[in-house]
Amino acid sequence: MRLLHTSDWHLGRAFHRVNLLGAQAEFIGHLVGTVREHEVDAVVVSGDVYDRAVPPLAAVELFDDALHRLADLGVPTVMISGNHDSARRLGVGAGLIGRAGIHLRTEPAAAGTPVVLRDAHGEVAFYGLPYLEPALVKDEFGVDKAGHEAVLGAAMDRVRADLATRPPGTRSVVLAHAFVTGGQASDSERDITVGGVAAVPAGVFDGVDYVALGHLHGCQTLTERVRYSGSPLAYSFSEAGHRKSMWLVDLDADGAVTAERVDCPVPRPLARISGTLDDLLADPALTRHEDAWVEATLTDPVRPADPMARLTERFPHTLSLVFAPERGQDDPRVSYARRLAGRSDQQIAQDFVAHVRGTGPDGHEAAVLREAFDAVRADHAVREVAR
């Protein structure tokens, strides 16, 4: 069976205020063309279909168009909700849409109930594990500790239990939206840390033939059977080095996996350039970036006059301007934003305690802070679901 694995469409998202809806529509057309050209047997979409719980109307219309075009192909599609989606909203009409061969899996309780497809070699069971917010699903899965590994492990126990009841030789595919250990993150993914831990070990998914992951925006192979497709478009300059693609996966009669990447259309390349303003405007090596979306970091010791206006004369698609003079981190003139760069909310809070009190929080106090951040995240998730 030939699968096309994609995820993290983030329909409705902009890139530094640039509307990406046209590029997202081009990707949908590319996806449909790939399914047709490569004679794909099933499409899997591993979450974050939308960029937010209540997407703009134009994004909903694009998703509706995608559903119709996929259904018209007569190729089954399995989708799950991600941490950016409202599972309840995405799942509206799932039963009816399923009759057209588009299977939306947004209910955690259905983790052990697969979509079963057939090919010449028998059945393939597709298990959809939507994003599992630990605080919201721990009771459903009967776990004591609200952590990612605990709830995903319990969900996978249901998958393996169901698979054990199926005919010998039944192959299996799991769709999951999670941060798996070994994956490389970028700046554009929403933090899902709970209890100080964001990642789960790949071993959680043992016992199935292929795991189609979503959440991280870079295409990655964790093992031959566990892969991220990544997002089809770049959503931050931290993705400037990404090759955006989908996985074309062949599952043979014995469940062995072979996979190749299918590149996605690139609306405009990304470039991150750094130096003094005069150097950036004069350097001939930067000519290749003149048509790119540009993030420029200026290292001038004193902020130059009209830097954006001058930059856009050479790089008309400059979207981000960062002022970072070459100073040590201890220099009092280093910006607050630079001092916080790369630090988690927990670390920032602990630094604040140390600044105010003179000593950092002890183990108990650090745990209290962590519980507070987890409670805020859970409350935010509840509010998004209720919207």
Side-chain angles (χ1 to χ4, degrees), residues 52-71:
R52 55 183 186 266
V54 184
L57 178 59
V60 177
E61 290 173 339
L62 179 55
F63 181 56
D64 181 64
D65 178 64
L67 293 181
H68 278 84
R69 295 174 73 177
L70 287 168

Side-chain angles (χ1 to χ4, degrees), residues 56-136:
L57 178 59
V60 177
E61 290 173 339
L62 179 55
F63 181 56
D64 181 64
D65 178 64
L67 293 181
H68 278 84
R69 295 174 73 177
L70 287 168
D72 287 345
L73 291 173
V75 175
T77 298
V78 184
M79 296 183 172
I80 60 172
S81 50
N83 61 301
H84 280 249
D85 299 309
S86 164
R88 289 175 61 187
R89 288 177 182 273
L90 187 64
V92 169
L96 187 60
I97 294 170
R99 298 182 188 177
I102 309 293
H103 305 281
L104 296 172
R105 289 294 184 264
T106 64
E107 291 292 338
T113 304
V115 175
V116 179
L117 305 178
R118 296 187 62 88
D119 66 5
H121 305 292
E123 295 184 343
V124 181
F126 290 77
Y127 297 90
L129 310 187
Y131 173 67
L132 303 174
E133 177 62 47
L136 303 185

